[in-house]
Amino acid sequence: MTVRRDFKEPARTRPDLVIGREEMFSAARDQLAEGGSVLLHGPAGIGKSTVLRALAAEYGETARTVLRCSATESESHLPFLALADLLGLVLDEVSERLPAAQRTALESALTGRGESSLQRDGLALRLAVLSALRALAADGPVLVVADDLQWLDPASAELLGFAARRLGDTQVQMVFAVRTEGQEYDRYLSASPPDTLAFRLSPLSRAQVSALLDHRGYTGLPRSTVREIHRTSGGNPLFALELGRALAENPTPPRPGEPLPVPTSLRALVLSRLDMLPAEARRTLLVASAGARPTVALLQTAGRENAEAETAQAAELGLLATESEAPAVRFAHPLISAALYAEAPAQERRAAHAALSTAASDPIERARHLALATTGTDPEVAARLAEAATLARDRGAPSVAASLGLLAARHTPGDSVPGPDERRLQASEDAITAGELDLARDIAREVLTRTSVPAERVRAWIIVIDTAGHSMADVDAVFPQALADAGDDPRLLALVRYQLAWRALLVEGDFAEARAETARSAELAARAGDRRTELLALSFQAQTETLMGHPDAPLTIKRALKEPQDPRVACHHNGAGSARFRWLVMSDQLPEARATITALLREVRRRGSVESEVHFLRGFAETELRSGHCGRALDLAREGLRLARDSGIGQTASAMLTALAEASGGDVEEGLALAREAVEHAEEDGDQMYLSRALGALGYAQLVAGDAHGTVRSLRRVRELELALGVTDPARGRWHGDLAEALVRIGETTEAQDVIDVTRERALRLGRESVLAVLDRAEALVRAARGEHDEAVAQLTSVQDRLAKLGYGLEEARAAFALASLRTGPPGPTSYDEATRLFRRCRALPWLRQVDEAAVTRAPEPAPVPTPAPTLEGLDGLASMERQVAALVMEGATNREIAARLFISVKTVEATLTRVYRKLGIRSRVDIVRLAAGRRPN
């Protein structure tokens, strides 16, 4: 039976109950599954009760009896209250099974009749609780669930601890939650069963806070706002949800530079000790809350003469963190600072900012405080803010520059030059650089409602298009409006034509049209003297021509690299440096590519350009993957994916590249999941360019996973897409060798050779040496499948040497693996020593597992008693692959051995044997041997 139905949770654990707690929840669940108990601990609002309810919901269904209590601070002085919650409803069930003295003591404690107390009844009451739990456990498993253990009345806590320590192997498990600020949970463990495992709940990450807000309906918040919620809440889910609710209920979002609105519920929670401070000390803390990096010295310069004593007093009350070696004044929790600022009247806030505007040493900080201390427009304040924004931009802090730019626009009079809208557009472009796309798009849309100036309108339209990323189909309606606003101005038309080139590539999948539009854009920009747009257009044209295999690509790259250069374009992810990097990678110049991409990555990090950083992290990871540094590639790819998901930029491309890295050096299943995610997103976005890349990653991951049929399906689609796109350079996706290999595995050698022949012709024309080597590796597998064993071995030996010289470590190892499977001589683990060494050098863990499996399946067995060798005369009518499988069956090979010899999966072997049985009218492997030997099958 399960008691206290009002506390009962649904049987199914809702996913929102453990957002951000999946790993910990799984460990706690395993602990309970093994018969142990669990203690959850952490600060207020961290989610202990939520996890406790989820665990109770899952394990409550397996217990016959669930006993629950949830204590509160206001009731903690009432003796035996928690014990009454736990045992009150089962008292009638167990009382008759207790000795008389224990029954009397327990009934008196639970009902209030009589004068039972621990002091009076002592041992009888303690034993009664233990006996009651044992009696319930005799009828079936018991789960005890206690929340807010810190508020249990002392009498109940002592009794529960006494029983918990003596339950032994009894079928009683406990799940407790207790509020702790540090690690002081030991005393609660002593009141738990000996097999209790303690779990501390940590703050949520930014991504987990975002997921929690979305799940609770606070959707559509800009990423910059979510980041501020995470910072202010300190990752505390309760605080984050309350801040999200306050934003949802507030029709006017906070202006730039202002903190988040803190609801009254949170203010009361975190500021309860503020009333214990004198008024002057509270003013000092207000000035500290307004500062970015307050110190005692700064507060004193800002007019708070007694700051040292007042901050020490606040630290004693727990409002400030004490750090003896650090000069900064740091609040014990970010929410205390935000709540203190939100609680203060506007006039006091402005006074705090005014004091800091002269006390701060950093010009950016002084300008920000001056803006927040000033009301209305003021050209001098606006100019200082614009200068500070430029300084922040130069320091590589575009997010700060965007915030300062918006403050400058707010204080700029309407008739000023530059005007408020021009400053808003600059702030919007800074937001794009910082990866704050939602903010950038909102600013641009606002400008479009205000301005009629063509240059400002086109600039705003371009921002709207840029923030769409690869989902350009979503902003199709923008292009006609942008063209209309551009009129016949060549500078404005060049901007729009550049974006139309991207649309042609991403939405239409037309490389030829994209190339034509970039050429038009470059010509218009040159005519208008807009070198920046001209360089971007030339760089895009060069990249397009490179992917197309166009012969003009090297010449266009030279034009894009010609002086004068624009420093903003030189390190841009669509600039000439990026185009040159792509050319180097595709031309097998891996050391030069690595040097180029590392320099680009270093520069964009210095500038704070998030989109370019995401792009170059992918490029760096790809270079390492080609070089056979799978572990390093995986680290870079995962870093890029985290940044992409955090910023919302380049998620499809980053998932695609990480899928390749996972399948090469990490977890194949994770690689498959990421590749499918990339395919799904590309299809949703209508992104033709990255759909083919994502399918290529999926095909590769399927090949590593042993799913040759899946690989063929995926890569056949890639072949069709690239034909439609006009992509002819096989170095773009490098999927051709994998398709040919997979086709060999499923017995389609004719199609495999056709793929090799067509691709080889293009690779020869473009001089793609690594592609040619991989094609030769695949061709050797075709030859082996056709019985040309010696030719296949010779070809693979040459291929391995060529790939080693080119620096393609992983491909070299794959050639060694194929070669080991074909070499003659005694089979066994030592046959694969070279492949093992090379894969281990690459840290290619999934491939190492394949080698291990192949070595095991080829391990020598005791020699069989000689029998007359069967022939293939009875196997006429079978397809080539079917005959090969049947021949190996006659040799006594297992399905795994056949799969390793023919480079196909075990499932393919089983399917092929099924077809053989059906065609020959037989039922088993033994029948194949009998038929080949000229005997009638049974």
Side-chain angles (χ1 to χ4, degrees):
M1 96 182 221
T2 301
V3 301
R4 298 298 302 270
R5 296 285 175 176
D6 54 320
F7 280 101
K8 187 178 177 184
E9 294 290 329
R12 183 176 63 86
T13 303
R14 289 161 40 209
D16 62 301
L17 292 177
V18 291
I19 286 177
R21 310 293 187 196
E22 292 81 5
E23 186 175 345
M24 187 222 67
F25 185 82
S26 177
R29 185 167 50 192
D30 291 345
Q31 168 73 357
L32 290 172
E34 294 170 2
S37 296
V38 168
L39 174 67
L40 307 170
H41 66 100
I46 203 68
K48 303 179 299 297
S49 299
T50 300
V51 176
L52 179 127
R53 286 195 297 268
L55 288 170
E58 184 163 328
Y59 281 89
E61 293 300 310
T62 65
R64 180 183 181 274
T65 306
V66 179
L67 308 175
R68 301 175 185 265
C69 72
S70 183
T72 64
E73 184 177 11
S74 62
E75 298 171 340
S76 60
H77 66 286
L78 300 174
F80 305 122
L81 183 61
L83 188 66
D85 285 341
L86 288 170
L87 298 178
L89 296 182
V90 295
L91 180 60
D92 292 342
E93 181 183 348
V94 299
S95 61
E96 295 301 321
R97 290 187 271 179
L98 302 180
Q102 295 180 23
R103 180 171 62 249
T104 300
L106 184 60
E107 288 178 348
S108 178
L110 296 185
T111 63
R113 295 189 296 269
E115 297 181 358
S116 179
S117 69
L118 277 175
Q119 185 176 3
R120 175 189 174 105
D121 295 317
L123 183 61
L125 191 50
R126 292 176 174 86
L127 292 175
V129 174
L130 178 60
S131 299
L133 291 174
R134 285 174 174 167
L136 291 170
D139 298 330
V142 176
L143 182 66
V144 179
V145 183
D147 198 4
D148 279 320
L149 209 59
Q150 75 279 359
W151 300 134
L152 250 64
D153 62 273
S156 296
E158 203 281 337
L159 291 169
L160 192 58
F162 176 88
R165 292 188 294 272
R166 291 165 174 79
L167 286 170
D169 296 331
T170 308
Q171 295 186 87
V172 178
Q173 292 175 268
M174 298 184 176
V175 183
F176 296 154
V178 60
R179 181 188 301 181
T180 56
E181 293 302 328
Q183 297 295 319
E184 67 279 10
Y185 60 92
D186 291 348
R187 63 190 181 97
Y188 297 103
L189 270 179
S190 64
S192 307
D195 59 355
T196 300
L197 194 58
F199 294 91
R200 179 168 178 81
L201 276 71
S202 302
L204 299 182
S205 69
R206 187 187 303 168
Q208 291 163 349
V209 166
S210 178
L212 180 64
L213 291 168
D214 285 345
H215 188 82
R216 296 299 177 88
Y218 304 128
T219 56
L221 294 173
R223 291 178 186 274
S224 55
T225 301
V226 173
R227 280 196 289 272
E228 186 61 21
I229 289 176
H230 177 259
R231 187 197 68 78
T232 304
S233 68
N236 184 297
L238 173 64
F239 297 170
L241 288 171
E242 285 296 295
L243 290 168
R245 180 180 62 79
L247 282 168
E249 294 175 352
N250 188 352
T252 306
R255 296 190 298 180
E258 291 183 348
L260 297 175
V262 179
T264 305
S265 57
L266 289 186
R267 294 186 202 179
L269 178 65
V270 301
L271 298 180
S272 57
R273 289 160 288 184
L274 190 65
D275 290 338
M276 302 174 69
L277 283 175
E280 288 301 313
R282 290 200 296 270
R283 291 192 185 96
T284 296
L285 289 190
L286 174 61
V287 176
S289 71
R293 295 176 298 276
T295 63
V296 170
L298 176 65
L299 295 175
Q300 290 171 338
T301 306
R304 309 310 303 169
E305 297 177 355
N306 298 319
E308 185 171 2
E310 290 164 348
T311 54
Q313 195 175 1
E316 289 178 3
L317 293 173
L319 294 165
L320 296 177
T322 54
E323 297 178 2
S324 56
E325 298 181 359
V329 174
R330 189 170 65 84
F331 285 88
H333 192 283
L335 190 61
I336 297 175
S337 175
L340 182 63
Y341 189 91
E343 187 86 358
Q347 185 176 354
E348 291 186 13
R349 293 189 207 173
R350 288 197 295 272
H353 286 296
L356 289 168
S357 69
T358 58
S361 59
D362 186 83
I364 292 177
E365 275 299 294
R366 288 200 302 271
R368 186 180 76 88
H369 288 301
L370 179 61
L372 296 174
T374 305
T375 58
T377 60
D378 186 321
E380 183 179 345
V381 172
R384 285 186 57 182
L385 284 163
E387 291 171 2
T390 300
L391 180 58
R393 196 177 304 118
D394 292 341
R395 288 182 179 178
S399 179
V400 176
S403 177
L404 292 168
L406 289 176
L407 286 170
R410 188 205 306 176
H411 291 287
T412 301
D415 57 354
S416 295
V417 178
D421 285 330
E422 186 171 347
R423 282 179 167 153
R424 288 187 182 93
L425 290 170
Q426 178 61 65
S428 182
E429 289 165 353
D430 285 329
I432 290 179
T433 302
E436 298 179 6
L437 302 187
D438 297 334
L439 176 61
R441 182 172 49 250
D442 291 345
I443 297 170
R445 294 278 188 192
E446 181 185 356
V447 170
L448 286 167
T449 65
R450 296 169 178 268
T451 185
S452 59
V453 179
E456 291 179 345
R457 291 187 62 80
V458 169
R459 192 174 170 187
W461 288 126
I462 297 301
I463 290 169
V464 172
I465 295 169
D466 274 343
T467 56
H470 282 215
S471 305
M472 272 197 160
D474 295 344
V475 292
D476 258 354
V478 167
F479 290 99
Q481 299 177 72
L483 284 169
D485 284 327
D488 56 2
D489 186 326
R491 185 176 65 84
L492 300 180
L493 283 171
L495 292 170
V496 181
R497 288 292 172 191
Y498 177 74
Q499 296 295 339
L500 281 168
W502 279 106
R503 184 192 177 281
L505 187 61
L506 297 177
V507 179
E508 302 298 334
D510 191 335
F511 272 72
E513 179 60 21
R515 177 175 178 267
E517 286 288 8
T518 55
R520 293 189 194 104
S521 175
E523 181 186 350
L524 288 164
R527 195 193 315 165
D530 182 356
R531 184 61 174 164
R532 180 175 186 273
T533 303
E534 181 187 8
L535 288 171
L536 282 171
L538 287 171
S539 300
F540 186 17
Q541 182 180 341
Q543 294 211 46
T544 305
E545 290 172 347
T546 298
L547 297 175
M548 293 172 67
H550 198 284
D552 289 348
L555 179 60
T556 308
I557 290 176
K558 288 182 180 178
R559 290 176 62 199
L561 291 169
K562 189 177 179 181
E563 295 293 341
Q565 286 291 313
D566 184 317
R568 294 173 297 172
V569 177
C571 64
H572 193 274
H573 57 280
N574 290 324
S578 181
R580 181 173 181 272
F581 162 74
R582 179 54 48 196
W583 173 261
L584 290 169
V585 169
M586 295 177 68
S587 302
D588 300 325
Q589 300 178 58
L590 296 181
E592 295 86 347
R594 182 182 294 105
T596 299
I597 199 68
T598 51
L600 289 169
L601 184 58
R602 184 168 55 249
E603 180 61 19
V604 298
R605 281 175 167 166
R606 187 187 70 80
R607 291 174 176 270
S609 177
V610 173
E611 185 172 5
S612 292
E613 182 177 357
V614 169
H615 185 95
F616 292 145
L617 278 169
R618 285 200 306 272
F620 198 177
E622 180 184 354
T623 306
E624 296 303 288
L625 199 57
R626 300 286 176 223
S627 302
H629 305 152
C630 297
R632 176 64 174 151
L634 185 57
D635 291 342
L636 288 164
R638 286 172 173 171
E639 181 184 354
L641 182 59
R642 283 193 297 270
L643 185 57
R645 285 178 169 165
D646 184 48
S647 62
I649 296 172
Q651 295 182 78
T652 300
S654 296
M656 175 275 299
L657 199 283
T658 310
L660 290 172
E662 288 283 1
S664 298
D667 184 333
V668 178
E669 292 302 319
E670 179 66 15
L672 287 166
L674 285 168
R676 292 188 178 108
E677 175 189 323
V679 170
E680 182 181 347
H681 287 172
E683 289 176 334
E684 288 176 355
D685 294 342
D687 184 346
Q688 297 298 305
M689 184 172 70
Y690 268 106
L691 177 57
S692 64
R693 297 293 305 275
L695 284 166
L698 177 59
Y700 172 74
Q702 289 167 324
L703 183 70
V704 179
D707 180 10
H709 286 281
T711 297
V712 170
R713 284 194 301 271
S714 298
L715 298 186
R716 278 174 175 166
R717 282 190 67 191
V718 177
R719 182 172 58 187
E720 294 169 2
L721 282 168
E722 290 202 351
L723 182 63
L725 287 167
V727 175
T728 60
D729 193 334
R732 184 223 181 200
R734 299 176 182 269
W735 50 267
H736 313 76
D738 291 338
L739 174 56
E741 182 175 332
L743 286 166
V744 172
R745 291 190 185 188
I746 67 172
E748 300 289 347
T749 55
T750 301
E751 184 183 348
Q753 188 63 55
D754 181 62
V755 170
I756 293 166
D757 292 342
V758 172
T759 309
R760 180 180 283 138
E761 180 182 352
R762 296 171 179 172
L764 282 168
R765 177 173 61 83
L766 296 168
R768 303 305 192 216
E769 292 297 329
S770 63
V771 174
L772 289 167
V774 169
L775 291 172
D776 284 352
R777 185 183 67 204
E779 188 173 56
L781 301 181
V782 173
R783 286 181 168 179
R786 291 173 174 171
E788 302 171 18
H789 183 271
D790 292 342
E791 295 85 348
V793 168
Q795 192 168 17
L796 281 172
T797 302
S798 171
V799 164
Q800 182 180 344
D801 182 60
R802 287 156 57 196
L803 288 168
K805 290 178 180 177
L806 289 168
Y808 282 76
L810 183 58
E811 300 295 356
E812 176 195 357
R814 288 179 62 180
F817 184 24
L819 186 59
S821 301
L822 294 183
R823 286 193 187 279
T824 58
T830 57
S831 305
Y832 293 93
D833 281 352
E834 175 71 359
T836 299
R837 181 183 69 81
L838 292 174
F839 279 132
R840 187 173 289 129
R841 184 182 68 183
C842 295
R843 285 185 58 191
L845 303 182
W847 286 103
L848 272 171
R849 283 189 283 272
Q850 286 199 28
V851 174
D852 290 342
E853 290 176 6
V856 169
T857 56
R858 290 196 66 202
E861 298 177 359
V865 177
T867 57
T871 68
L872 291 175
E873 294 176 0
L875 305 183
D876 293 339
L878 297 182
S880 173
M881 177 60 72
E882 293 164 351
R883 288 174 64 83
Q884 292 178 68
V885 170
L888 290 171
V889 167
M890 288 186 291
E891 294 178 11
T894 66
N895 285 2
R896 281 189 173 275
E897 291 170 340
I898 295 170
R901 289 277 295 277
L902 298 181
F903 294 93
I904 58 178
S905 68
V906 174
K907 289 184 178 179
T908 301
V909 174
E910 294 168 351
T912 304
L913 281 174
T914 300
R915 292 197 301 272
V916 170
Y917 298 158
R918 186 174 63 250
K919 287 184 178 181
L920 300 181
I922 59 178
R923 293 176 296 178
S924 70
R925 299 164 64 94
V926 175
D927 288 341
I928 292 178
V929 177
R930 289 196 177 104
L931 188 63
R935 301 195 300 272
R936 181 183 298 275
N938 293 335

